[in-house]
Amino acid sequence: MVTISLISVIANEVFHNNGEQMISAVIQQIVGEGIGTVSAYSEFWTPDDLKRIKYLDREKAFTKSEIFGGLLWTAVWGSVYFNASKLIRVYVKGVNGFEFSYPVFNEEVLHSYWPLVVLVMILEFAVAIFKWMKQQWTLAVAIFNLAVHTVSSVVLVVLLRNPNLFSEQFRLNMRDLRRSILTRDSGKLEFKAK
């Protein structure tokens, strides 16, 4: 209630300022009215009121940065996933710098799994919101977190088991690279009989 009152006082002063008042006068008006509004809504408390406050164990509590970091990580990996063919590429250096590149992943295959990936993203956002609401580890949070990570792992395994996940050019170049390494190393492994 106090926050809403303070926001309404600030909004009122910002929108009704006609430009004739100095900024310092506007700030003084906001602070003066804000303190008056806040103290009008404040109630006195007693030590018995502390019994109603929920105790948060510091070892079990979630930090805001942990929750925000989870949301940010989900947004980042989701963006990279849906733009992988443009972001994750192999660049080949030529005489004039990088002459051409090719994607590592097959875009059609990646996009064929979009419903599963969106499901995982929604579940991860839901876990972050659930953590924010509960504020600490509980059995319900742990079970929900386990379920989301299990679903994420299953989706990842399904995705990685697709033989067409990598682009054709990437697979051919990796095969050629493997052959060149094996033929180069096989020349070093000569044994001489005594």
Side-chain angles (χ1 to χ4, degrees):
M1 188 68 156
V2 172
T3 307
I4 296 171
S5 300
L6 194 57
I7 290 172
S8 66
V9 167
I10 292 171
N12 186 35
E13 288 300 319
V14 168
F15 290 117
H16 290 99
N17 183 8
N18 58 10
E20 295 177 9
Q21 290 180 315
M22 293 178 54
I23 293 177
S24 61
V26 172
I27 292 172
Q28 287 175 350
Q29 183 73 19
I30 290 172
V31 170
E33 284 185 35
I35 291 173
T37 305
V38 168
S39 40
Y41 286 108
S42 297
E43 296 178 13
F44 291 105
W45 62 273
T46 63
D48 292 332
D49 293 336
L50 294 176
K51 294 177 185 174
R52 293 182 294 168
I53 296 176
K54 185 173 136 183
Y55 172 72
L56 290 178
D57 186 4
R58 284 198 179 270
E59 292 179 9
K60 294 181 181 180
F62 298 116
T63 61
K64 287 186 173 48
S65 61
E66 179 182 352
I67 295 170
F68 177 73
L71 289 172
L72 182 65
W73 172 246
T74 302
V76 167
W77 76 254
S79 299
V80 169
Y81 176 84
F82 286 108
N83 295 303
S85 63
K86 297 175 192 82
L87 297 174
I88 304 173
R89 302 179 72 82
V90 175
Y91 293 90
V92 178
K93 187 175 182 180
V95 178
N96 299 325
F98 293 114
E99 292 185 358
F100 68 95
S101 67
Y102 54 90
V104 172
F105 296 104
N106 185 343
E107 186 173 14
E108 291 81 26
V109 171
L110 285 179
H111 288 178
S112 69
Y113 290 104
W114 76 265
L116 294 175
V117 173
V118 169
L119 172 71
V120 169
M121 290 177 69
I122 290 170
L123 288 174
E124 287 191 10
F125 281 124
V127 163
I129 292 169
F130 196 48
K131 285 180 177 179
W132 176 70
M133 288 171 39
K134 292 294 183 180
Q135 298 178 350
Q136 67 180 355
W137 282 106
T138 62
L139 183 60
V141 172
I143 290 172
F144 189 39
N145 194 45
L146 175 67
V148 169
H149 285 292
T150 302
V151 169
S152 300
S153 299
V154 168
V155 169
L156 182 64
V157 167
V158 167
L159 188 79
L160 292 176
R161 288 186 52 96
N162 189 324
N164 296 322
L165 176 64
F166 296 103
S167 69
E168 184 66 28
Q169 187 159 6
F170 179 75
R171 283 187 283 163
L172 291 173
N173 285 345
M174 289 298 110
R175 186 188 67 201
D176 293 343
L177 179 64
R178 182 173 166 244
R179 284 184 183 163
S180 68
I181 290 172
L182 290 176
T183 55
R184 184 184 69 207
D185 289 342
S186 66
K188 295 179 183 176
L189 297 175
E190 294 179 12
F191 294 102
K192 295 182 180 178
K194 291 186 179 180

